[in-house]
Amino acid sequence: MDKLIVHGGATLRGSINISGSKNASLPILAASLLTAEPCIIRRVPDVSDTNYMIQILSAMGADVERSSGTVRITCADISDVAPYELVRRMRASICVMGPLLARKGRAVVSLPGGCVIGDRPVDLHLRGLEALGAKVEFEGGNIILTARDGLRGAEIDLCGTHGPTVLGTDNVMMAATLAEGITVIESAAAEPEVIDLADFLNAMGAKITGAGTRRIVIEGVRELRGVEHTVIPDRIEAGTFMAAAALAGDEVKLRRVCREHLKAITAAIEQSGHRVEFNEAGNTCTVFRGETFHGVDLVTAPYPGYPTDMQAQMTALLATTPGISVIKDTIFPQRFMHCAELKRMGADIKIDHGTAVVRGVAQLSAAPVMASDLRASAALVLAALTAKGDTEISRLYHIDRGYEHIDEKLLMLGAEVERVKD
Ligand code: EPU
């Protein structure tokens, strides 16, 4: 198991490229199950989650070639069973369910287990697929979906107690592309990753309108074809480096970003006292560390609100921002594991009912800390950048799930980090 040692105190300066989006790549890779023709997907980040997805698809019979961010995938002859050994490693593998059911009339996928960021049920995914005519059964830890006579379009409301579901919307949208008739998804997730998937599916020949709004309409087609697609930039990786630049930067430039997708994150960084400038095209941003800082009140919300996937990183920034910040996670109210580790580094944080109250301290100090999930580990790396001393972050595999070459990118910006083997 790798560890990251961060020697705190270096100033970040220079520029890096932001990778393609992990959370857009995963359902898009799964969507290639919908056709027997080859799909070419560019800018797939080389992170362990996309590797798991590729392994799952390969184990199901897909022919996959991958080189420098481009994945060529042909799902000519595939099985309807997603292997438990691979599926259990990544909750997002649930998004093979919709395309598999649509293509094969049957899908066997293991029920995802517990997750450190909170309870993550799949009731909405199943409600949607059932409305399209699938029979849902559970056996031996698996979900078995069958629709021997094909799926039929339906009106489905996907609103849950915590709002819309991103992968649930993806699953139902993918299944509905090959259903007979028209499907309307109400209370759909409007995340940019859902739009990217809809663009991919439409290029394959699907008829989807309304992606990016709360109402998506899908007119079923008989079959889909192979396609070439470039994945959108990773807004959470961009946001993480924006927070790093605000914490420890002088002038940091991030290329290959999308201004439109970063509005809520940009607003939060600016409110805390830093300056963010985009070029005219909106695909490069420069973050300038500010001189006077302010605590921020943040509430996570579905897009276009402030993303839960940037909650931990912003908490790390606010831990050393003078003033009091109040951070509420409405999507995953238990997603505060990073706070216990930040407190070991000297942060002043109190958690109560899905809300963190952060009183900014002047400086954190290094301590051995443990990554508990992907975004929590990113928060620890950020905190370590300005902490006094050398912070050792163990269980680095969490960060490798979703950040492409994070240590190399930090080194390029002048951070002093070392990856070491245990
Ligand atoms: N929910 C239900 N029932 C369901 C599905 C979801 O109640 O059937 C609840 C969840 O428990 C949660 C809320 O609905 O409270 C939203 O969850 P959602 O389904 O949108 O999450 P997801 O689709 O499983 C994706 C991202 C997550 C991100 C969430 C929220 C991918 C691969 N994952 O998960 O990303 O936190 O949306 O934006 O796209 C990450 O990248 O670190 C990550 C965890």
Side-chain angles (χ1 to χ4, degrees), residues 21-24 26-27 49 90-95 115 117-127 158-170 189 191 193 234-236 301-303 307-310 313 329-333 335 373-376 402-403:
S21 161
K22 164 186 86 86
N23 286 349
L26 294 173
D49 274 10
M90 181 179 67
R91 196 189 175 281
S93 37
I94 194 79
C95 64
C115 173
I117 68 175
D119 188 22
R120 298 183 72 184
V122 290
D123 56 315
L124 298 171
H125 299 236
L126 299 179
R127 189 206 289 173
L158 281 186
C159 191
T161 39
H162 294 284
T165 162
V166 176
L167 292 178
T169 301
D170 290 347
E191 270 63 10
E193 294 76 18
D234 195 311
R235 62 193 169 103
I236 305 301
Y303 190 84
T308 172
D309 291 344
M310 265 302 292
Q313 303 88 316
D329 200 321
T330 61
I331 298 173
F332 295 115
R335 198 178 199 175
D373 76 71
L374 170 58
R375 308 304 172 188
Y403 288 92

Side-chain angles (χ1 to χ4, degrees), residues 15 40 194 297 340:
S15 62
I40 295 171
V194 176
D297 287 354

Side-chain angles (χ1 to χ4, degrees), residues 56-340:
I56 291 167
L57 298 174
S58 303
M60 289 165 64
D63 180 31
V64 188
E65 288 165 38
R66 180 176 201 169
S67 81
S68 350
T70 298
V71 178
R72 186 179 197 279
I73 179 159
T74 312
C75 297
D77 189 14
I78 46 155
S79 125
D80 55 17
V81 181
Y84 167 73
E85 264 318 300
L86 294 167
V87 168
R88 73 181 176 86
R89 296 200 198 159
M90 181 179 67
R91 196 189 175 281
S93 37
I94 194 79
C95 64
V96 300
M97 198 161 63
L100 207 51
L101 177 67
R103 171 95 181 271
K104 303 285 289 184
R106 183 169 186 269
V108 181
V109 182
S110 46
L111 261 170
C115 173
V116 73
I117 68 175
D119 188 22
R120 298 183 72 184
V122 290
D123 56 315
L124 298 171
H125 299 236
L126 299 179
R127 189 206 289 173
L129 297 174
E130 234 169 348
L132 293 177
K135 188 169 111 194
V136 181
E137 291 164 299
F138 299 94
E139 201 182 286
N142 290 323
I143 310 169
I144 305 172
L145 292 150
T146 30
R148 288 285 177 222
D149 301 325
L151 298 168
R152 287 176 314 279
E155 286 208 12
I156 304 158
D157 191 319
L158 281 186
C159 191
T161 39
H162 294 284
T165 162
V166 176
L167 292 178
T169 301
D170 290 347
N171 251 330
V172 177
M173 187 165 74
M174 288 189 275
T177 56
L178 294 179
E180 197 187 315
I182 292 181
T183 299
V184 180
I185 307 177
E186 300 284 0
S187 312
E191 270 63 10
E193 294 76 18
V194 176
I195 304 180
D196 204 26
L197 173 64
D199 288 345
F200 178 75
L201 294 168
N202 281 337
M204 291 173 92
K207 293 190 175 162
I208 302 171
T209 53
T213 72
R214 293 271 170 253
R215 186 172 197 266
I216 300 180
V217 180
I218 305 125
E219 191 185 328
V221 296
R222 290 186 71 82
E223 59 180 15
L224 297 173
R225 54 180 177 269
V227 70
E228 282 196 41
H229 181 82
T230 302
V231 171
I232 55 169
D234 195 311
R235 62 193 169 103
I236 305 301
E237 189 203 13
T240 303
F241 277 101
M242 286 166 81
L247 251 171
D250 174 6
E251 189 179 323
V252 171
K253 187 180 275 190
L254 308 176
R255 287 194 232 91
R256 295 189 172 183
V257 300
C258 176
R259 173 175 45 202
E260 181 67 24
H261 300 166
L262 290 169
K263 280 187 177 163
I265 298 170
T266 302
I269 303 254
E270 286 178 340
Q271 268 173 40
S272 63
H274 309 280
R275 189 154 61 87
V276 182
E277 270 178 20
F278 284 87
N279 66 349
E280 210 178 314
N283 56 14
T284 296
C285 87
T286 309
V287 181
F288 302 87
R289 181 168 159 82
E291 273 155 24
T292 46
F293 310 108
H294 319 277
V296 175
D297 287 354
L298 271 187
V299 181
T300 69
Y303 190 84
Y306 187 84
T308 172
D309 291 344
M310 265 302 292
Q311 181 262 104
Q313 303 88 316
M314 199 65 191
T315 305
L317 169 62
L318 295 172
T320 52
T321 299
I324 294 183
S325 299
V326 180
I327 303 162
K328 186 173 166 66
D329 200 321
T330 61
I331 298 173
F332 295 115
Q334 297 164 47
R335 198 178 199 175
F336 286 104
M337 297 285 280
H338 47 284
C339 291

Side-chain angles (χ1 to χ4, degrees), residues 340-420:
E341 299 299 291
L342 291 173
K343 278 159 82 168
R344 297 187 59 249
M345 297 175 73
D348 181 347
I349 306 176
K350 292 201 172 47
I351 313 283
D352 190 24
H353 290 96
T355 302
V357 179
V358 184
R359 197 180 291 267
V361 296
Q363 193 181 24
L364 298 180
S365 50
V369 286
M370 212 191 290
S372 56
D373 76 71
L374 170 58
R375 308 304 172 188
S377 40
L380 298 178
V381 173
L382 296 192
L385 289 172
T386 55
K388 187 169 170 19
D390 301 339
T391 302
E392 194 178 291
I393 303 164
S394 54
R395 302 199 178 172
L396 203 58
Y397 60 88
H398 284 295
I399 211 161
D400 292 333
R401 295 187 61 166
Y403 288 92
E404 190 174 48
H405 311 143
I406 189 164
D407 42 336
E408 289 169 27
K409 290 189 182 185
L410 285 167
L411 282 169
M412 277 172 73
L413 292 176
E416 290 177 17
V417 297
E418 283 173 73
R419 182 185 283 262
V420 292

